[in-house]
Protein backbone atom coordinates (compact mmCIF):
# COMPACT_ATOMS: atom_id res chain seq x y z
CA UNK A 1 0.00 0.00 0.00
CA UNK A 2 2.91 2.34 0.71
CA UNK A 3 4.20 1.95 -2.83
CA UNK A 4 0.73 2.66 -4.22
CA UNK A 5 0.52 5.79 -2.09
CA UNK A 6 3.89 7.01 -3.32
CA UNK A 7 2.95 6.37 -6.96
CA UNK A 8 -0.43 8.09 -6.50
CA UNK A 9 1.17 11.13 -4.88
CA UNK A 10 3.85 11.17 -7.57
CA UNK A 11 1.17 11.25 -10.27
CA UNK A 12 -0.50 14.22 -8.60
CA UNK A 13 2.82 16.01 -8.07
CA UNK A 14 3.87 15.78 -11.70
CA UNK A 15 0.61 17.20 -12.99
CA UNK A 16 0.37 19.80 -10.23
CA UNK A 17 3.87 21.09 -10.88
CA UNK A 18 3.14 21.44 -14.58
CA UNK A 19 -0.23 23.16 -14.09
CA UNK A 20 0.47 25.30 -11.02
CA UNK A 21 4.20 25.77 -11.48
CA UNK A 22 4.31 26.43 -15.22
CA UNK A 23 0.99 26.71 -17.07
CA UNK A 24 -0.93 29.02 -14.72
CA UNK A 25 1.97 31.43 -14.00
CA UNK A 26 2.54 31.66 -17.77
CA UNK A 27 -1.18 32.27 -18.28
CA UNK A 28 -1.18 34.97 -15.60
CA UNK A 29 1.62 36.84 -17.37
CA UNK A 30 -0.05 36.43 -20.77
CA UNK A 31 -3.58 37.34 -19.68
CA UNK A 32 -3.02 39.88 -16.88
CA UNK A 33 -4.71 39.82 -13.45
CA UNK A 34 -8.25 40.69 -14.58
CA UNK A 35 -8.43 38.14 -17.44
CA UNK A 36 -6.66 35.54 -15.29
CA UNK A 37 -9.33 36.10 -12.65
CA UNK A 38 -12.00 35.40 -15.27
CA UNK A 39 -10.21 32.16 -16.17
CA UNK A 40 -10.24 31.15 -12.50
CA UNK A 41 -14.00 31.73 -12.32
CA UNK A 42 -14.85 29.92 -15.58
CA UNK A 43 -12.62 26.99 -14.73
CA UNK A 44 -14.44 26.82 -11.40
CA UNK A 45 -17.75 26.28 -13.19
CA UNK A 46 -16.18 23.50 -15.26
CA UNK A 47 -14.72 21.78 -12.21
CA UNK A 48 -17.98 21.82 -10.25
CA UNK A 49 -19.75 19.67 -12.84
CA UNK A 50 -16.77 17.60 -13.96
CA UNK A 51 -15.55 16.63 -10.49
CA UNK A 52 -19.05 16.05 -9.09
CA UNK A 53 -20.01 13.61 -11.85
CA UNK A 54 -16.63 12.09 -12.70
CA UNK A 55 -15.36 11.48 -9.17
CA UNK A 56 -18.72 10.27 -7.86
CA UNK A 57 -19.05 7.57 -10.51
CA UNK A 58 -15.36 6.72 -10.12
CA UNK A 59 -15.84 6.05 -6.38
CA UNK A 60 -19.06 4.09 -6.90
CA UNK A 61 -17.44 1.84 -9.51
CA UNK A 62 -14.45 1.16 -7.24
CA UNK A 63 -16.71 0.35 -4.29
CA UNK A 64 -18.78 -2.06 -6.40
CA UNK A 65 -15.92 -3.70 -8.28
CA UNK A 66 -17.08 -7.25 -7.48
CA UNK A 67 -19.82 -6.83 -10.08
CA UNK A 68 -17.80 -4.54 -12.33
CA UNK A 69 -17.92 -6.69 -15.46
CA UNK A 70 -21.71 -6.98 -15.31
CA UNK A 71 -22.21 -3.30 -14.48
CA UNK A 72 -19.68 -1.83 -16.93
CA UNK A 73 -22.36 -0.94 -19.46
CA UNK A 74 -24.34 0.80 -16.70
CA UNK A 75 -21.42 3.08 -15.90
CA UNK A 76 -20.88 3.83 -19.59
CA UNK A 77 -24.50 4.92 -19.98
CA UNK A 78 -24.49 7.03 -16.82
CA UNK A 79 -21.25 8.88 -17.62
CA UNK A 80 -22.49 9.55 -21.18
CA UNK A 81 -25.72 11.10 -19.89
CA UNK A 82 -23.84 13.16 -17.31
CA UNK A 83 -21.32 14.39 -19.87
CA UNK A 84 -23.97 15.48 -22.38
CA UNK A 85 -26.10 17.24 -19.75
CA UNK A 86 -23.09 19.01 -18.21
CA UNK A 87 -21.88 20.24 -21.60
CA UNK A 88 -25.34 21.56 -22.52
CA UNK A 89 -25.67 23.35 -19.17
CA UNK A 90 -22.29 25.06 -19.54
CA UNK A 91 -22.77 25.97 -23.20
CA UNK A 92 -26.14 27.57 -22.48
CA UNK A 93 -24.84 29.26 -19.33
CA UNK A 94 -21.75 30.57 -21.10
CA UNK A 95 -23.56 31.96 -24.12
CA UNK A 96 -26.67 33.30 -22.38
CA UNK A 97 -25.41 34.45 -18.97
CA UNK A 98 -21.71 35.13 -19.55
CA UNK A 99 -22.27 36.39 -23.11
CA UNK A 100 -19.62 34.12 -24.63
CA UNK A 101 -19.31 33.73 -28.38
CA UNK A 102 -20.37 30.49 -30.07
CA UNK A 103 -16.85 29.01 -30.29
CA UNK A 104 -15.96 29.87 -26.68
CA UNK A 105 -19.28 28.46 -25.46
CA UNK A 106 -18.62 25.16 -27.24
CA UNK A 107 -15.08 24.97 -25.86
CA UNK A 108 -16.45 25.78 -22.39
CA UNK A 109 -18.80 22.77 -22.50
CA UNK A 110 -16.42 20.32 -24.16
CA UNK A 111 -13.66 21.09 -21.67
CA UNK A 112 -16.00 19.88 -18.91
CA UNK A 113 -16.63 16.63 -20.82
CA UNK A 114 -12.90 15.96 -21.19
CA UNK A 115 -12.19 16.65 -17.50
CA UNK A 116 -15.17 14.56 -16.37
CA UNK A 117 -14.16 11.56 -18.46
CA UNK A 118 -10.57 11.75 -17.23
CA UNK A 119 -11.63 11.84 -13.58
CA UNK A 120 -13.92 8.87 -14.15
CA UNK A 121 -11.33 6.97 -16.22
CA UNK A 122 -8.94 6.49 -13.29
CA UNK A 123 -11.37 3.96 -11.78
CA UNK A 124 -10.11 1.21 -14.14
CA UNK A 125 -6.58 1.59 -12.76
CA UNK A 126 -7.78 1.88 -9.16
CA UNK A 127 -9.81 -1.32 -9.46
CA UNK A 128 -6.72 -3.13 -10.70
CA UNK A 129 -4.68 -1.29 -8.01
CA UNK A 130 -2.27 -0.34 -10.81
CA UNK A 131 -0.92 3.02 -9.72
CA UNK A 132 1.98 2.77 -12.16
CA UNK A 133 -0.52 3.35 -14.96
CA UNK A 134 -2.02 6.28 -13.05
CA UNK A 135 1.49 7.75 -12.87
CA UNK A 136 2.06 7.25 -16.59
CA UNK A 137 -1.36 8.73 -17.34
CA UNK A 138 -0.38 11.83 -15.36
CA UNK A 139 2.88 12.16 -17.28
CA UNK A 140 1.10 11.91 -20.64
CA UNK A 141 -1.56 14.38 -19.50
CA UNK A 142 1.12 16.86 -18.42
CA UNK A 143 2.77 16.64 -21.84
CA UNK A 144 -0.64 17.30 -23.39
CA UNK A 145 -1.06 20.40 -21.21
CA UNK A 146 2.33 21.77 -22.25
CA UNK A 147 1.51 21.26 -25.92
CA UNK A 148 -1.89 22.83 -25.34
CA UNK A 149 -0.27 25.93 -23.87
CA UNK A 150 1.58 26.66 -27.07
CA UNK A 151 -1.67 26.29 -29.01
CA UNK A 152 -3.23 28.73 -26.54
CA UNK A 153 -0.56 31.32 -27.33
CA UNK A 154 -1.67 31.13 -30.96
CA UNK A 155 -5.45 30.89 -30.49
CA UNK A 156 -5.78 32.90 -27.23
CA UNK A 157 -8.32 30.30 -26.03
CA UNK A 158 -7.12 28.78 -22.75
CA UNK A 159 -9.67 25.96 -23.04
CA UNK A 160 -7.44 24.17 -25.59
CA UNK A 161 -4.83 23.59 -22.87
CA UNK A 162 -7.27 21.53 -20.81
CA UNK A 163 -8.99 19.89 -23.76
CA UNK A 164 -5.77 18.49 -25.15
CA UNK A 165 -4.25 17.42 -21.82
CA UNK A 166 -7.38 15.72 -20.47
CA UNK A 167 -8.17 14.02 -23.77
CA UNK A 168 -4.70 12.45 -23.89
CA UNK A 169 -5.31 10.85 -20.46
CA UNK A 170 -8.76 9.57 -21.47
CA UNK A 171 -7.40 7.99 -24.65
CA UNK A 172 -4.70 6.27 -22.59
CA UNK A 173 -7.35 4.83 -20.23
CA UNK A 174 -9.46 3.67 -23.15
CA UNK A 175 -6.53 1.85 -24.77
CA UNK A 176 -4.70 0.39 -21.77
CA UNK A 177 -7.52 0.15 -19.22
CA UNK A 178 -10.33 -0.76 -21.63
CA UNK A 179 -12.40 1.99 -20.04
CA UNK A 180 -15.51 1.61 -22.16
CA UNK A 181 -15.31 -2.13 -22.84
CA UNK A 182 -18.48 -3.91 -21.72
CA UNK A 183 -19.83 -7.45 -21.89
CA UNK A 184 -22.00 -8.52 -24.83
CA UNK A 185 -25.29 -8.43 -22.94
CA UNK A 186 -27.86 -5.96 -24.20
CA UNK A 187 -29.40 -3.18 -22.19
CA UNK A 188 -28.52 -2.42 -18.59
CA UNK A 189 -27.77 -4.83 -15.76
CA UNK A 190 -30.04 -5.78 -12.87
CA UNK A 191 -27.97 -3.45 -10.68
CA UNK A 192 -28.67 -0.37 -12.81
CA UNK A 193 -31.45 1.10 -10.66
CA UNK A 194 -29.37 0.97 -7.47
CA UNK A 195 -26.22 2.17 -9.26
CA UNK A 196 -28.08 5.11 -10.78
CA UNK A 197 -29.59 5.96 -7.39
CA UNK A 198 -26.19 5.86 -5.67
CA UNK A 199 -24.63 7.90 -8.47
CA UNK A 200 -27.38 10.53 -8.23
CA UNK A 201 -27.06 10.72 -4.44
CA UNK A 202 -23.28 10.99 -4.36
CA UNK A 203 -23.19 13.34 -7.34
CA UNK A 204 -25.74 15.58 -5.63
CA UNK A 205 -23.60 15.63 -2.52
CA UNK A 206 -20.48 16.39 -4.53
CA UNK A 207 -22.24 19.15 -6.46
CA UNK A 208 -22.88 20.95 -3.20
CA UNK A 209 -19.36 20.25 -1.96
CA UNK A 210 -17.57 21.39 -5.10
CA UNK A 211 -19.84 24.38 -5.56
CA UNK A 212 -18.68 25.48 -2.13
CA UNK A 213 -15.02 24.74 -2.88
CA UNK A 214 -15.20 27.18 -5.76
CA UNK A 215 -17.73 29.51 -4.17
CA UNK A 216 -15.01 31.75 -2.77
CA UNK A 217 -13.92 32.85 -6.24
CA UNK A 218 -17.53 33.48 -7.28
CA UNK A 219 -18.20 35.54 -4.15
CA UNK A 220 -14.96 37.49 -4.52
CA UNK A 221 -15.78 38.27 -8.14
CA UNK A 222 -19.29 39.42 -7.27
CA UNK A 223 -18.21 41.52 -4.28
CA UNK A 224 -14.69 42.66 -5.11
CA UNK A 225 -14.01 42.08 -8.81
CA UNK A 226 -11.89 39.80 -11.04
CA UNK A 227 -8.53 41.18 -9.94
CA UNK A 228 -9.24 40.23 -6.33
CA UNK A 229 -10.21 36.76 -7.53
CA UNK A 230 -6.73 36.49 -9.00
CA UNK A 231 -5.15 37.66 -5.72
CA UNK A 232 -7.11 35.19 -3.59
CA UNK A 233 -6.44 32.31 -5.96
CA UNK A 234 -2.72 32.99 -6.06
CA UNK A 235 -2.51 33.52 -2.28
CA UNK A 236 -3.92 30.04 -1.63
CA UNK A 237 -1.60 28.22 -4.05
CA UNK A 238 0.12 26.42 -1.18
CA UNK A 239 -3.22 25.20 0.18
CA UNK A 240 -3.88 23.61 -3.19
CA UNK A 241 -0.53 21.81 -2.88
CA UNK A 242 -2.06 19.75 -0.08
CA UNK A 243 -4.16 18.09 -2.79
CA UNK A 244 -0.94 16.45 -3.93
CA UNK A 245 -0.84 14.34 -0.78
CA UNK A 246 -4.21 13.94 0.92
CA UNK A 247 -6.64 12.95 -1.90
CA UNK A 248 -4.24 10.33 -3.35
CA UNK A 249 -3.88 8.74 0.08
CA UNK A 250 -7.67 8.74 0.38
CA UNK A 251 -7.97 6.99 -3.00
CA UNK A 252 -5.48 4.29 -1.98
CA UNK A 253 -7.25 3.73 1.36
CA UNK A 254 -10.62 3.43 -0.37
CA UNK A 255 -9.27 0.90 -2.87
CA UNK A 256 -7.79 -1.27 -0.10
CA UNK A 257 -10.84 -1.01 2.15
CA UNK A 258 -13.00 -2.12 -0.79
CA UNK A 259 -10.67 -5.10 -1.32
CA UNK A 260 -11.01 -6.02 2.37
CA UNK A 261 -7.29 -5.62 3.11
CA UNK A 262 -8.03 -2.90 5.69
CA UNK A 263 -10.73 -3.33 8.36
CA UNK A 264 -12.61 -0.22 9.43
CA UNK A 265 -12.85 -0.75 13.18
CA UNK A 266 -12.63 1.79 15.99
CA UNK A 267 -8.86 1.44 16.24
CA UNK A 268 -8.41 2.20 12.55
CA UNK A 269 -10.86 5.12 12.71
CA UNK A 270 -8.86 6.58 15.62
CA UNK A 271 -5.70 6.31 13.56
CA UNK A 272 -7.25 7.96 10.51
CA UNK A 273 -8.77 10.85 12.48
CA UNK A 274 -5.54 11.40 14.41
CA UNK A 275 -3.63 11.30 11.16
CA UNK A 276 -5.96 13.87 9.63
CA UNK A 277 -5.52 16.28 12.55
CA UNK A 278 -1.77 15.74 12.50
CA UNK A 279 -1.70 16.43 8.76
CA UNK A 280 -3.56 19.72 9.27
CA UNK A 281 -1.05 20.91 11.87
CA UNK A 282 1.98 19.73 9.89
CA UNK A 283 0.95 21.25 6.57
CA UNK A 284 -0.04 24.54 8.18
CA UNK A 285 3.28 24.96 9.99
CA UNK A 286 5.27 24.05 6.89
CA UNK A 287 3.12 26.43 4.86
CA UNK A 288 3.99 29.46 6.95
CA UNK A 289 7.31 29.56 5.10
CA UNK A 290 6.64 27.56 1.95
CA UNK A 291 3.61 29.61 0.89
CA UNK A 292 5.73 32.74 0.82
CA UNK A 293 8.52 31.05 -1.11
CA UNK A 294 6.08 29.65 -3.70
CA UNK A 295 4.36 33.00 -4.37
CA UNK A 296 7.65 34.88 -4.47
CA UNK A 297 8.96 32.52 -7.16
CA UNK A 298 5.83 31.93 -9.26
CA UNK A 299 3.96 35.24 -8.90
CA UNK A 300 6.47 37.88 -7.74
CA UNK A 301 4.32 40.81 -8.87
CA UNK A 302 1.40 39.58 -6.72
CA UNK A 303 3.40 38.77 -3.56
CA UNK A 304 2.58 41.94 -1.63
CA UNK A 305 -1.15 41.75 -2.32
CA UNK A 306 -1.32 38.12 -1.17
CA UNK A 307 0.37 38.41 2.25
CA UNK A 308 -2.64 39.47 4.31
CA UNK A 309 -4.83 36.54 3.27
CA UNK A 310 -2.19 33.88 2.69
CA UNK A 311 -2.07 32.00 6.02
CA UNK A 312 -5.79 31.94 6.81
CA UNK A 313 -6.74 31.08 3.24
CA UNK A 314 -4.25 28.21 3.08
CA UNK A 315 -5.34 26.79 6.45
CA UNK A 316 -8.96 26.81 5.29
CA UNK A 317 -8.00 24.73 2.25
CA UNK A 318 -5.85 22.35 4.29
CA UNK A 319 -8.75 21.63 6.65
CA UNK A 320 -11.09 21.08 3.72
CA UNK A 321 -8.82 18.57 1.98
CA UNK A 322 -8.22 16.75 5.26
CA UNK A 323 -11.98 16.23 5.47
CA UNK A 324 -11.71 13.95 2.44
CA UNK A 325 -9.94 11.30 4.53
CA UNK A 326 -12.73 11.21 7.10
CA UNK A 327 -15.32 11.41 4.32
CA UNK A 328 -13.83 8.27 2.76
CA UNK A 329 -14.78 6.38 5.95
CA UNK A 330 -18.22 8.01 6.02
CA UNK A 331 -18.92 6.86 2.45
CA UNK A 332 -17.99 3.31 3.42
CA UNK A 333 -19.67 3.08 6.85
CA UNK A 334 -22.67 5.42 6.70
CA UNK A 335 -25.77 5.77 4.56
CA UNK A 336 -25.26 7.86 1.42
CA UNK A 337 -27.94 10.24 2.73
CA UNK A 338 -25.41 11.46 5.27
CA UNK A 339 -23.48 13.01 2.39
CA UNK A 340 -26.46 15.14 1.40
CA UNK A 341 -27.15 16.18 4.99
CA UNK A 342 -23.55 17.16 5.73
CA UNK A 343 -23.01 19.03 2.49
CA UNK A 344 -26.33 20.87 2.80
CA UNK A 345 -25.53 21.96 6.36
CA UNK A 346 -22.03 22.90 5.25
CA UNK A 347 -23.45 24.91 2.34
CA UNK A 348 -25.58 27.04 4.64
CA UNK A 349 -22.73 27.57 7.11
CA UNK A 350 -20.23 28.32 4.38
CA UNK A 351 -22.31 30.91 2.57
CA UNK A 352 -23.33 32.69 5.78
CA UNK A 353 -19.80 32.71 7.21
CA UNK A 354 -18.12 33.66 3.95
CA UNK A 355 -20.53 36.45 2.97
CA UNK A 356 -20.52 37.99 6.45
CA UNK A 357 -16.74 37.67 6.58
CA UNK A 358 -16.32 39.28 3.17
CA UNK A 359 -18.46 42.26 4.12
CA UNK A 360 -16.67 42.71 7.45
CA UNK A 361 -13.09 42.02 6.46
CA UNK A 362 -12.80 41.69 2.68
CA UNK A 363 -10.56 38.85 1.48
CA UNK A 364 -9.27 38.12 4.98
CA UNK A 365 -12.78 37.99 6.42
CA UNK A 366 -13.92 35.63 3.68
CA UNK A 367 -10.97 33.33 4.41
CA UNK A 368 -11.80 33.30 8.15
CA UNK A 369 -15.42 32.45 7.41
CA UNK A 370 -14.38 29.65 5.07
CA UNK A 371 -12.06 28.22 7.73
CA UNK A 372 -14.83 28.17 10.31
CA UNK A 373 -17.21 26.36 7.96
CA UNK A 374 -14.56 23.78 7.03
CA UNK A 375 -13.85 22.99 10.68
CA UNK A 376 -17.55 22.36 11.30
CA UNK A 377 -17.71 20.11 8.22
CA UNK A 378 -14.87 18.00 9.64
CA UNK A 379 -16.85 17.57 12.87
CA UNK A 380 -20.11 16.75 11.05
CA UNK A 381 -18.38 13.91 9.18
CA UNK A 382 -16.37 12.55 12.10
CA UNK A 383 -19.17 12.15 14.65
CA UNK A 384 -21.36 9.75 12.55
CA UNK A 385 -18.31 7.62 11.72
CA UNK A 386 -17.56 7.11 15.41
CA UNK A 387 -21.19 6.21 16.05
CA UNK A 388 -20.91 3.42 13.47
CA UNK A 389 -17.84 1.83 15.08
CA UNK A 390 -18.87 1.84 18.74
Amino acid sequence: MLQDGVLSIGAKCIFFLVLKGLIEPWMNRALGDAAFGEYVVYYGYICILAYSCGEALNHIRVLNQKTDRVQARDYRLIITIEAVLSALILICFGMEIEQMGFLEGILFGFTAIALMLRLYSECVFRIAINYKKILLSSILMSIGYLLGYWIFRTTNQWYVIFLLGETVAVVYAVITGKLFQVDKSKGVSKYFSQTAKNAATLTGSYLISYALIYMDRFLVQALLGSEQVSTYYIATTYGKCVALVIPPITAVLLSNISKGTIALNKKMVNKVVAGSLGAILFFFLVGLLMSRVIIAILYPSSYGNCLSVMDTGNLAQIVYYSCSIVNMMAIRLCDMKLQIFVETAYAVLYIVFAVVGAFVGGLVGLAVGTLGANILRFILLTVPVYRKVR
Side-chain angles (χ1 to χ4, degrees), residues 15 18 23 27 39 56 65 104-105 137 140 145 151 154 186 195 249 273 299 305 333 341 380 387:
F15 174 64
V18 169
I23 301 294
M27 288 176 63
Y39 146 73
Q65 56 190 270
E104 186 178 3
S137 174
L140 293 172
Y145 267 73
I151 299 175
T154 302
K186 294 183 179 180
T195 302
I249 291 175
V273 172
Y299 302 95
N305 294 333
L333 293 173
F341 168 76
L380 287 172
R387 286 178 176 172

Side-chain angles (χ1 to χ4, degrees), residues 1-226:
M1 189 174 75
L2 178 60
Q3 181 183 2
D4 292 337
V6 171
L7 289 172
S8 183
I9 292 170
K12 293 290 184 181
C13 284
I14 290 170
F15 174 64
F16 187 90
L17 290 174
V18 169
L19 179 61
K20 304 297 181 182
L22 296 175
I23 301 294
E24 287 191 340
W26 291 345
M27 288 176 63
N28 178 253
R29 296 186 187 102
L31 295 172
D33 284 343
F36 185 74
E38 290 182 358
Y39 146 73
V40 170
V41 171
Y42 291 160
Y43 187 59
Y45 291 131
I46 290 171
C47 288
I48 289 172
L49 290 175
Y51 275 87
S52 298
C53 298
E55 279 200 341
L57 200 58
N58 179 321
H59 292 329
I60 288 171
R61 187 166 180 177
V62 172
L63 285 169
N64 295 282
Q65 56 190 270
K66 290 182 179 179
T67 55
D68 185 66
R69 181 173 176 79
V70 175
Q71 289 186 262
R73 59 188 185 276
D74 298 349
Y75 300 122
R76 187 174 68 176
L77 176 60
I78 292 170
I79 196 66
T80 299
I81 293 172
E82 290 178 337
V84 171
L85 288 177
S86 297
L88 288 174
I89 290 170
L90 288 179
I91 290 170
C92 293
F93 175 80
M95 295 176 66
E96 295 297 323
I97 306 301
E98 296 295 331
Q99 298 298 303
M100 293 180 179
F102 178 76
L103 175 61
E104 186 178 3
I106 295 297
L107 291 173
F108 191 40
F110 275 65
T111 300
I113 290 179
L115 179 56
M116 184 187 302
L117 291 177
R118 194 268 297 175
L119 291 165
Y120 165 66
S121 71
E122 290 185 0
C123 66
V124 293
F125 303 134
R126 291 176 61 199
I127 289 171
I129 312 187
N130 192 333
Y131 285 87
K132 289 181 180 178
K133 286 189 175 181
I134 290 180
L135 177 63
L136 183 54
S137 174
S138 180
I139 293 171
L140 293 172
M141 181 169 61
S142 298
I143 293 171
Y145 267 73
L146 290 170
L147 293 174
Y149 176 78
W150 295 110
I151 299 175
F152 152 72
R153 292 308 303 269
T154 302
T155 63
N156 206 35
Q157 293 284 356
W158 57 263
Y159 304 97
V160 298
I161 302 172
F162 298 85
L163 268 174
L164 183 57
E166 301 292 339
T167 300
V168 168
V170 174
V171 171
Y172 176 73
V174 169
I175 295 173
T176 66
K178 301 179 180 179
L179 176 64
F180 295 117
Q181 181 174 311
V182 299
D183 60 29
K184 296 181 180 179
S185 302
K186 294 183 179 180
V188 296
S189 76
K190 63 181 180 180
Y191 304 103
F192 179 77
S193 178
Q194 186 60 45
T195 302
K197 181 179 178 181
N198 289 339
T201 301
L202 195 56
T203 298
S205 169
Y206 280 15
L207 276 170
I208 298 170
S209 177
Y210 280 109
L212 293 170
I213 289 176
Y214 296 102
M215 183 61 71
D216 54 3
R217 63 189 70 184
F218 305 146
L219 290 174
V220 173
Q221 184 191 45
L223 299 173
L224 303 170
S226 295

Side-chain angles (χ1 to χ4, degrees), residues 246-247 249-250 253-254 257 264 268-277 280 319-334 338-339 342-343 374-386:
I246 294 179
I249 291 175
T250 303
L253 283 171
L254 185 59
I257 288 171
L264 271 184
M268 178 56 67
V269 170
N270 285 334
K271 288 182 179 179
V272 173
V273 172
S276 300
L277 295 174
I280 292 171
V319 172
Y320 181 85
Y321 286 122
S322 296
C323 285
S324 69
I325 301 178
V326 178
N327 195 38
M328 172 272 301
M329 296 189 295
I331 291 174
R332 185 63 178 175
L333 293 173
C334 305
L338 174 68
Q339 298 290 312
V342 171
E343 298 306 335
N374 289 345
I375 291 172
L376 289 174
R377 180 174 183 262
F378 189 97
I379 295 171
L380 287 172
L381 286 168
T382 304
V383 171
V385 169
Y386 270 109

Side-chain angles (χ1 to χ4, degrees), residues 346-364:
Y346 173 60
V348 175
L349 292 169
Y350 180 94
I351 292 173
V352 171
F353 288 10
V355 171
V356 171
F359 275 111
V360 173
L363 284 179
V364 176

Side-chain angles (χ1 to χ4, degrees), residues 232 309 312-313 316 353-354 357 362-375:
Y232 190 80
V309 73
T312 307
F353 288 10
L363 284 179
V364 176
L366 186 142
V368 171
T370 301
L371 174 60
N374 289 345
I375 291 172

